[in-house]
Amino acid sequence: NAGVMQNPRHLVRRRGQEARLRCSPMKGHSHVYWYRQLPEEGLKFMVYLQKENIIDESGMPKERFSAEFPKEGPSILRIQQVVRGDSAAYFCASSDRSNQPQHFGDGTRLSIL
Amino acid sequence: TQLLEQSPQFLSIQEGENLTVYCNSSSVFSSLQWYRQEPGEGPVLLVTVVTGGEVKKLKRLTFQFGDARKDSSLHITAAQPGDTGLYLCAGENRGSTLGRLYFGRGTQLTVWP
């Protein structure tokens, strides 16, 4: 499967725990984007990363959320001290250049108990 | 701020009918993408339009980008049950927020056999 791979597909956490979401871009893609989809709402941009660099994080909450895309390995979206409002589907997309179409993974559904 | 408005929000039709869904904005976009999303999956890219007035056809689907690059439409001819899904439009403003896609909330299409 050469598509964007996200894992886990489903993640359950209790309030106060940490959530780590992983995204492996399509082969040859070095640009990664994270979006959040809440029920009854559209996808909202969170952060745009290129290998080892954060290009735009203006859509990401200032506290508890962080993202990285290391030289080796997948991109990680990390949510610390999760709260019920963090429950959502988190999607990752990738592209080979910044002005090229973005291809999405199947998302991680995060549920907070 | 919701930059892209999609209409209708829901559309339920019989197999064989034609339909059009709309994506409107007061903002100018460098490009606009249409995606289709199935339950539990990520958005799948259908088409990208970049030139004002551009028309692209994908089998029974016809996509048009407005002359002013502020709006777009998707027309489906002779709809089939397999066309059922959530249709999302997404715009990109390369001049100001490179890489970020602004999504509409989608049109949920149901085609009955």
Side-chain angles (χ1 to χ4, degrees):
Chain A
N1 188 346
V4 177
M5 301 300 294
Q6 290 189 248
N7 68 82
R9 291 294 309 276
H10 300 274
L11 182 62
V12 179
R13 285 288 178 265
R14 295 189 180 279
R15 281 179 294 172
Q17 291 185 321
E18 178 180 287
R20 279 183 177 243
L21 288 62
R22 295 176 196 79
C23 169
S24 296
M26 285 180 69
K27 188 176 181 180
H29 287 189
S30 60
H31 298 252
V32 165
Y33 315 80
W34 286 92
Y35 294 82
R36 178 165 63 177
Q37 188 175 39
L38 292 167
E40 307 303 323
E41 293 189 19
L43 286 100
K44 295 284 195 290
F45 168 83
M46 298 182 74
V47 62
Y48 164 29
L49 310 105
Q50 204 178 350
K51 281 286 187 181
E52 299 186 273
N53 290 305
I54 296 175
I55 307 300
D56 180 0
E57 59 181 346
S58 59
M60 199 156 64
K62 294 283 187 287
E63 297 180 354
R64 302 189 297 108
F65 286 71
S66 62
E68 63 177 8
F69 189 16
K71 187 176 181 181
E72 300 291 337
S75 175
I76 306 286
L77 179 66
R78 182 183 177 204
I79 311 173
Q80 295 178 291
Q81 299 174 340
V82 295
V83 300
R84 288 239 170 96
D86 296 333
S87 295
Y90 291 82
F91 289 95
C92 167
S94 73
S95 66
D96 60 350
R97 290 192 295 275
S98 60
N99 61 349
Q100 292 301 304
Q102 297 178 21
H103 296 269
F104 283 78
D106 282 336
T108 293
R109 273 117 188 113
L110 176 64
S111 299
I112 309 302
L113 302 179
Chain B
T1 303
Q2 187 73 22
L3 295 182
L4 282 165
E5 297 288 339
Q6 289 191 244
S7 63
Q9 188 176 354
F10 299 96
L11 189 55
S12 183
I13 61 171
Q14 292 292 131
E15 182 176 4
E17 292 184 17
N18 302 331
L19 66 111
T20 303
V21 298
Y22 300 93
C23 176
N24 296 299
S25 175
S26 58
S27 303
V28 176
F29 289 100
S30 307
S31 68
L32 197 137
Q33 286 82 43
W34 282 92
Y35 291 85
R36 190 173 93 181
Q37 186 177 19
E38 306 278 358
E41 298 181 7
V44 175
L45 180 67
L46 297 174
V47 78
T48 300
V49 286
V50 297
T51 306
E54 182 176 5
V55 176
K56 280 193 174 178
K57 292 194 174 185
L58 187 67
K59 297 183 180 178
R60 293 176 294 101
L61 278 61
T62 301
F63 304 85
Q64 185 164 8
F65 201 10
D67 291 339
R69 290 186 288 127
K70 292 183 178 181
D71 53 82
S72 182
S73 64
L74 159 59
H75 182 79
I76 302 179
T77 303
Q80 298 177 1
D83 296 327
T84 293
L86 179 66
Y87 288 83
L88 298 164
C89 66
E92 182 186 12
N93 278 322
R94 290 178 200 158
S96 58
T97 51
L98 186 65
R100 174 194 294 219
L101 289 179
Y102 296 89
F103 277 86
R105 291 186 180 180
T107 292
Q108 180 62 54
L109 172 65
T110 303
V111 183
W112 299 98

